[in-house]
Each structure stands twice: as C-alpha cells, then as structure tokens.
Amino acid sequence: MARYLTLRVLQAAWVLWAAFTISFVVLYLLPADPISIAADGAGAGTPVDKAAIAELQARYGLDRPLWEQYWTALGHAVHGDLGHSIVTGQPVTDAIGDALPSTLGLAGLALLFATIGGVALALAATYTRRPWLRTALGALPSLGVSVPTFWTGLLLLQLFSFHWRLAPAFGGHGFSGTVLPALTLAMPIGAVIAQVLASGLASTWRQPFVDVALAKGGSRWWVQRKHVLRPASVPTFTIAGVLVGNMLAGSVVVETVFARPGVGRLTQTAVLAQDIPVVQGVVLLTSLVFVTVNLAVDLLYPLLDPRIAARSWRAAPAENTPAELGGTAEKVAIHG
Amino acid sequence: MIRTRRRILVLAAALATATTVAACGSDSAAPGGAAGPPQPGGTMRYGLSQAPTCSDPAQSGSNQTLYVTRQIVDSLTDQDPATGELKPWLARSWEVTPDAKVFTFHLVDGVTFSDGTPLTAESVRNTFDSIIRLGSAKAPLAASYLTNYVGTTAVDRLTARVEFSKPNAQFLQASSTTQLGILADATTGKSAEQRCLGDNIASGPFTYGSYRQDASVTLAKRAGYQWGSAVFGHRGEAYLDKIEFTVVPESGVRTGSLASGQLDAISDALPQDTPQIEATGGRVLSTANPGVPFGFQPNVTRGPLRDPAVRQALLPAIDRKQLVDTVLGPQFKPASSTLASSTPGYQDLSARLAHDPEKARGILDRAGWVPGGDGIRVKNGERLSFSVIFSQVFAGNQAIIELVQQQLRQVGVELKLDLLSLAETTARQNAKDFDSTYYNTTRADGDILRTTFGLDGRNLNARDRVPALDDALDGQLSTADTDARTALVHTAQQQALDAGLWIPTVELSQAIGASGTAQDLRFEASARLQFFDTWLSGR
C-alpha cells in the first residue's frame, strides 16, 4: 500500500511537471509579446516607447534566454511562487486564491446536483418496464449534453432572477446566489453521469449473478439497490476525470453568464491578455485537480467492487489501475 | 387586468421615448425635470461590462477602468463637454508660454487628499515624476501626455511650473484627463503593481472602499469635499453615499438586472436591449466619443492599397448612414471627418465622405482598375482585394465590417475579414503585418491626429513624409494660441483624408442604460461617466 501511494505521488509530480513544461513551451511559441499587449491597454492606440518595453521585459525576466526563464520559473513554482500577473501586477497565487473559493462552491454544488439528478434519471430509466417511458427518459441525457450551457444559464436567469426575482442575477454568494449557476453547470455533467450509469446498469442487469439474485426471490428494486448499483457505478467513477474537465470548461461560460469571479473567468481573461504567469498557474492548478481526482477514484474502486482490488493490489499498480488519465469505461468493463 | 397592464406599458414606453429624445441633445440624463430636486444619499449599483484592469488613475486605459478611477481623482483642469473649453478644478488659474513649453498652475488652497495630507505644488511634481517612472509601458496614455517632460518646479506652496524640452500644446487638455489626475504621496511612492491594488489616495469626491479584482469595486463618498470643478453641476459633496461597481460581462444579464431592479445603471447597452430597458421606465443615454472615429487604416506599402487612387475611391464607396441605420441605431453617428464630431478642433468634411458609388467607380476606372470576370477589378494581373485585421473590442465591429464588405463589392473591391483577439491584433499591428487595420481612439484633443498619423508614432500607415500633413501635425503641438491651433488641426484632418491614411466609418458612442431612479448621470468631455452630480430618486 505504501509503495503504491509513493508511486502515485511520484506519478502526480510527473504529471504536474509535464503540464508546466508543455504549457511553458506552448505559451512561448505564441507569436504575440505579452508586454506589448499589456502596455497597449485597451488598444489605446498610442505608441509605446521601445525602451520602456525593454525595461518591463527585463523586470519580468522575459529578455533572458528561454531555458533560463524556464529554470527560474520552474524553481519558483516548486517553492510555491508562481510570479506576478503581467496585467494586474497581483501575485498569481493571490489571484488564484481569490478566485478558487467561489469556483469550489460552484463546482461542489453542481456535482451534488449532477449526481442526484444523473443517478435518479439512470435508475428510473433502467428500472421502468414501460418502453415509451424508458425511451423518453433515455433521450434526456443527450438533450442535457447538447443544450448549450450559455443558453441554459440565460433561461434560468430570465425565469428565476428577472421574472420571479427569487435569486440574484450576478455576483451571488451563499446558497441562493449559487443555486442557479450550479444548476446550469450540473446539466451537462448530470447528463453524462446518467448516460454512463444507465449503460452500466443495463449491462449489469444482464450479468448471471442478477438472475441468481432474482431467483432467490428478491424484488427488482431490491436487486437493483443491493446487487446492481454498486458494480454498475464503476464506469461512472472512471470518467470522473472527464467530468472534472467538463466542469472546469463549463465554469468559464457559467462564471461569465452569472458574473461570478472565479477560476474560469480568471482563465478566460488571462488567455485573452496572454498573461503567461496566470495561465501557467491555472494549468498547474487544473493538473493538480486531475491528479487528485484520479487518485481518489483509484482508492475508491476497492470499496465499490472488491474484485478490482483483488486484481489491482497484486499486480503492478501503474499498469492495472483502471483510472489513469486516459482510463475509459471499456477498460473497466473488462474488470466488471 | 391585462388591458390595464398593456396600457401602462404603452404609456411607459411613450414616456421613455420622450425622455430619450430629450436626453439625446443634452449629453446628460436630465429626465425631463419630473424627478424633482436632487436628493442626497443612497447606493448606486452599476454594472460594468469588463473588469477594470487597475485601480490607478495613471494606469487607466479602458472605458470601464476609467468609469471607476475618474471618481476618486481630481485633475488640475476640467474640460467642458459642451464647448471643449478648459475650466478650473484643482488649479484655479494657469499660464502657458507662447512656445507651449512652460505651464504654470496656481492651485486652490485648502484641498486635502483623503489621507488628510494637503495638496501642494509638490504633489503635482510627485504625481508627474511618478508617471515618468511608471513609463509608457505601464502608463501609455499618461506618459504620452508628458512626452519631452523636463520636470516640475514647486515655485511656492501652491504654484507648480511644468516644463517640456519641446512645445507640447496638447498638455493643457491632458491636464484635465483622469490619467494626469493628482495623487497623494502615499500612492506616488509605490511601485506600478502596488498602485493597482485598490488603495490609491487622491482628493476626489469618492474614495476606495473595497476593491476585488475581476469582481467588484465599492466607492464611498468623501465627506467634506468642497473643491469640485467649474464644470460640475453643484458645489460641495457628491450626492451618492456609495457606488457599487459589479463586473457583469454578459450584456443580456446586465439588461435583465437593470430591468428587474437589481442594478441602477449599466455600461454598453446594446441597441437590441433598448426596448427592454425602456419598457421598464429606464432609458439609454449616449454620447459620441471624441478622438479618431472607427475606420480602416491602410498599410500603404502592401497590395492594392499602395495606389492612392484606390484609397481615394474607398471614401465615397462606403454608405456610412446605412452602417448606422442597419447595424447600430440612433445613438450612433456616421463619421464625417478623420476626427469625431465631438472633438475640439473638428471640421465637418462630410461632403468628402458622401456615399457616391459612381464617383468611386470613376476614380478606379481612371486609375486603370477594370472589372474582372467575377466583378472584382484587376490591374496588371493584380486583384483589387485587401484584408482587414480587427478585434471585437466593440460589439458592432464585425457586423459593420461585413456590411462595408458588401458595399465595396458594389464598386468592384474585395474586402477580406480577419477577426483576431485583441492580443493578436496588437502583435500584427506592431509587426505591420496587415493590409489594413480597423479601430478607433478616444481623446478630446486634436493632438490625437499626431499620435495616430504622425511619423514618430506607431505609423501604422507605414508611410513616408507628407510635408503638408507633417507640418500641420508638428505645428499644432507648438502653438499655444487656440485659434491658430484649431486651424492647424483642420489642415491635418483634411491632409490625412487627402492622403487616404484613414477610411472613416462610424463614430463610437457610449450607450449607458439607466433605470428610472438614476438621475443626472453625466458624461465628461472624454465621454466617460462622472458620478459627482448623480443621485437616486425614490430611494
């Protein structure tokens, strides 16, 4: 177990380093010079003194050779110093620290809504014996995925904030201010959960042990709850990484529509302004979240399905754990 | 019930239309006088369309940043938005030497900064010196206003003498801008980054309460404020107790929040949102930005735009009235010169810009550009085709350029659209890698012609010397006499058009959505909001 954890931590460090390096290379390959962009402000149109640009580049260390910039930035990042935003001058850790609580609250509530909604929908769709209802419920996830988040958000605002005035339209704090954006964000994620769980449930219902359980005289509901749900939920957990990705991408739109200062908005403004230190900070943060979520999922598997644990702990973990970044539902289906 | 409600709506819409019409001519939000005398107190809730970039007046560039920073800082002078005339503010009077190199300001006695320290000639010197230290990369506008700055001398406690090594006639108007507002030593002693954190100290009618980057800014009224400018509508303290700025990027959400009473005023109300705002008793206030109107700036070294005849033909080929009527709405005006109509020194050249496709075809025919097989003209095997780089800093840009594309096609010219992010646009502009670029610039002084077209500026035209133009551009900077300077600004406007250095389209307008309760929301001379006279009715 200890060896397994050490390996996983090393792996996480490797992923973080790769994310840092790749983002560094990509950002420095971009043609535009962030200092000129920052200096130009909102396209003020006035000529910017070349000497002043050079001075500012020196202040941010952008005039030094690329490899030297890379080593300095990496060294600082290891010590938790992500530098300063080129646009606002704020330390990047402060900028992220200010934005994070709001996004965590939003993502947490959205995940709760998505899980409740997605699981309920999947259970209802696979439990019912009426074909028309099954078809109708089965179509809902595709709808949930395909409706643009932007549109859902505006629709919810129109009804609940502008028309009925039940919730604030912008900058909301607490439950009343978070519920609408969380619902918006939960919609596509809940749809994915419902889709994957429903297909897991359907295939689990076809397993021989279900027939055994039914033969023992269990009701359909009892079998679903006691025997089917747990193994069927494994693929859903496997796509947790994808869901987290969805959530971060969705937060850009949701935070813009609901005027919430968060990591999504921070990312959007930083990318538009080519504020390299901030973009790198966000990339590191998201990699950290991915790594953590996947580790948590790996540790959760044995609780869901003891058969996975029996296999995983014995073999070299790095090869057989089902929830690597690229881990897919099919890969797990072999275990199940 | 339904009938009554509809009648009320119709009545509200009629009233709203009436007030909008009334407000159009006056540049302010006077709601027809029905609201009664101003009442002090209350919190104004304002929705910004973008996050302010920095809390420092000297480092302000974008409109949304200036809406916030303008309220906390006073300037030496103020510019009357109606006449363009400069009026006393922190300086009760001033003298300029005939060569426009030395400016002496006599300060009002008894002014204090919000940390209690007094305003002195040293404050003026420290403010300007600190802008030189910030440099043109951190404070591009402020630094450009102080080009060739030698230094400021505190002649006595309340007399500051500002000297330049070369004539700098634009500096007097610059002394009225937010960027050159006077700050306390507590702020001027700090680094560029520290000055962006929302604790700047100045002498303005409002002070910073809280400042959350990308989220919100709260300003509180300065008690005991007595030194308002001669342009302000009343004396003493501001009426509002507080102003709460919230960043609401989505225009539909801003409009909905205004209509549902969650905000009192909003930035960038879109033409399509106007009916919704008016239906709830609100109105859209607008004022035209001074400076260089929107237009195409050709790179005269590339493609068919090398040919002066082509550049001349583009002027009558564009139907500017159609651009305004189809895309923008009644708050906007067609461009009528290389300066916007609200800029001091503006000259009406609309006759030169009248829509006349026959004239455009004639110019191109005579220059040897003959229609090819697909209708696009050709000369010596070269197609009459050029591209334009632009970004969506103004929401209407793409629709305007698409319509121009159709209009140019009518005379056999092909326009290709190259929509970029602001960052890419800046990079391509700096590398002069474009056929033409589309933008506008706000400045309430004719010197903006020099910064836009001058050889020593960015020179996005990539042009060589044009004696008549360059003499006028340099001359207006060394002439302190207003009439003589205006004459030179007129010449520069015509010359820029003659040389085909700018193909104007439309003037930018600020469109502010205001609820029925927000009164006397005023624009200053550079088309940014000044909240000093603003008050809330029925609260």
Side-chain angles (χ1 to χ4, degrees), chain A residues 154 158 162, chain B residues 249-257 270 273 276:
Chain A
L154 283 182
Q158 197 64 43
F162 303 153
Chain B
E250 223 312 289
S251 75
V253 178
R254 282 200 304 280
T255 306
S257 303
L270 299 183
D273 297 332
Q276 196 190 344

Side-chain angles (χ1 to χ4, degrees), chain A residues 39 44 49 59-60 161 169 259 265, chain B residues 136-137 140 193 214 247 253 262 441:
Chain A
D49 188 15
R59 200 193 306 176
Y60 286 100
S161 183
R265 275 267 301 288
Chain B
S136 65
E193 288 81 9
D214 288 335
V247 183
V253 178
Q262 300 180 56
T441 317

Side-chain angles (χ1 to χ4, degrees), chain B residues 149-320:
Chain B
Y149 175 77
V150 172
T152 303
T153 315
V155 179
D156 59 43
R157 191 172 64 88
L158 294 175
T159 310
R161 196 171 66 214
V162 187
E163 284 180 62
F164 296 89
S165 61
K166 284 184 183 160
N168 195 10
Q170 59 84 32
F171 173 69
L172 200 58
Q173 186 274 339
S175 72
S176 74
T177 61
T178 305
Q179 287 86 3
L180 294 192
I182 306 303
L183 300 158
D185 292 352
T187 294
T188 55
K190 290 183 172 176
S191 72
E193 288 81 9
Q194 286 170 330
R195 288 173 68 155
C196 285
L197 302 178
D199 53 3
N200 314 56
I201 306 289
S203 64
F206 292 93
T207 58
Y208 281 122
S210 74
Y211 189 95
R212 288 174 58 222
Q213 184 61 45
D214 288 335
S216 61
V217 182
T218 307
L219 303 183
K221 172 163 81 178
R222 170 90 192 270
Y225 183 85
Q226 291 296 337
W227 41 85
S229 96
V231 176
F232 289 178
H234 75 282
R235 306 299 300 168
E237 298 174 2
Y239 293 128
L240 297 170
D241 284 340
K242 274 183 175 178
I243 310 171
E244 257 175 34
F245 292 96
T246 313
V247 183
V248 184
E250 223 312 289
S251 75
V253 178
R254 282 200 304 280
T255 306
S257 303
L258 182 73
S260 62
Q262 300 180 56
L263 288 173
D264 299 306
I266 58 168
S267 292
D268 295 337
L270 299 183
Q272 63 265 33
D273 297 332
T274 309
Q276 196 190 344
I277 294 171
E278 290 178 349
T280 49
R283 63 217 182 279
V284 176
L285 317 167
S286 66
T287 194
N289 280 46
V292 174
F294 272 112
F296 295 81
Q297 188 164 24
N299 176 347
V300 302
T301 64
R302 274 186 25 168
L305 292 175
R306 287 191 318 268
D307 185 348
V310 170
R311 305 202 296 270
Q312 283 310 314
L314 296 180
L315 295 175
I318 296 174
D319 185 350
R320 293 167 182 82

Side-chain angles (χ1 to χ4, degrees), chain B residues 297-357:
Chain B
Q297 188 164 24
N299 176 347
V300 302
T301 64
R302 274 186 25 168
L305 292 175
R306 287 191 318 268
D307 185 348
V310 170
R311 305 202 296 270
Q312 283 310 314
L314 296 180
L315 295 175
I318 296 174
D319 185 350
R320 293 167 182 82
K321 189 170 177 305
Q322 190 189 33
L323 296 181
V324 170
D325 292 348
T326 315
V327 180
L328 298 175
Q331 300 99 332
F332 289 80
K333 283 185 198 163
S336 49
S337 174
T338 40
L339 280 183
S341 54
S342 52
T343 326
Y346 153 83
Q347 187 185 22
D348 185 356
L349 301 175
S350 52
R352 300 266 320 266
L353 297 173
H355 180 223
D356 188 349

Side-chain angles (χ1 to χ4, degrees), chain B residues 420-500:
Chain B
L420 306 171
S421 73
L422 183 58
E424 284 173 288
T425 310
T426 309
R428 292 271 297 272
Q429 284 182 345
N430 288 344
K432 296 215 169 76
D433 177 18
F434 59 87
D435 295 340
S436 70
T437 175
Y438 186 85
Y439 65 97
N440 83 315
T441 317
T442 299
R443 170 93 199 264
D445 188 276
D447 188 56
I448 191 63
L449 291 170
R450 187 183 57 88
T451 32
T452 309
F453 301 111
L455 281 174
D456 53 351
R458 287 169 88 191
N459 189 13
L460 293 179
N461 292 117
R463 69 176 176 95
D464 295 326
R465 199 172 139 70
V466 178
L469 174 62
D470 291 316
D471 292 349
L473 291 177
D474 294 341
Q476 59 82 26
L477 197 58
S478 49
T479 313
D481 178 68
T482 312
D483 291 341
R485 195 166 172 241
T486 302
L488 288 163
V489 168
H490 282 180
T491 309
Q493 273 168 89
Q494 297 158 16
Q495 287 293 328
L497 214 54
D498 286 347

